[in-house]
Amino acid sequence: VKAILVVELSLGQLVEDVRLAVNGQCPVALHGRSGGVVPTPSEVADAVARLHEMPGSLHSDAPCLGESEGQS
């Protein structure tokens, strides 16, 4: 795992728990919606693409979340 995208129907309550659990081992991004509007698959795909563009998010050589050195 190089990064985590949290998709939630709120404005960030769950993402803080995920960040605490990850403990800085990799980037955690939020795609949140409120008002009961479920994000479309294309919106989630766009959020993944933005996460991919974050500096250091997916291109880091550092292991993250259970990866052993040399595994990706």
Side-chain angles (χ1 to χ4, degrees):
V1 175
K2 297 290 183 181
I4 296 173
L5 176 65
V6 178
V7 180
E8 61 177 297
L9 293 177
S10 66
L11 295 178
Q13 289 83 352
L14 180 63
V15 74
E16 293 306 320
D17 292 334
V18 173
R19 285 186 178 127
L20 287 171
V22 168
N23 195 28
Q25 294 181 41
C26 65
V28 176
L30 169 68
H31 181 73
R33 300 288 287 280
S34 62
V37 179
V38 177
T40 66
S42 65
E43 289 171 332
V44 174
D46 289 344
V48 169
R50 285 191 305 275
L51 179 62
H52 192 287
E53 294 168 0
M54 287 174 52
S57 64
L58 301 177
H59 302 291
S60 172
D61 291 331
C64 175
L65 295 179
E67 279 186 8
S68 299
E69 290 289 336
Q71 284 184 319
S72 292

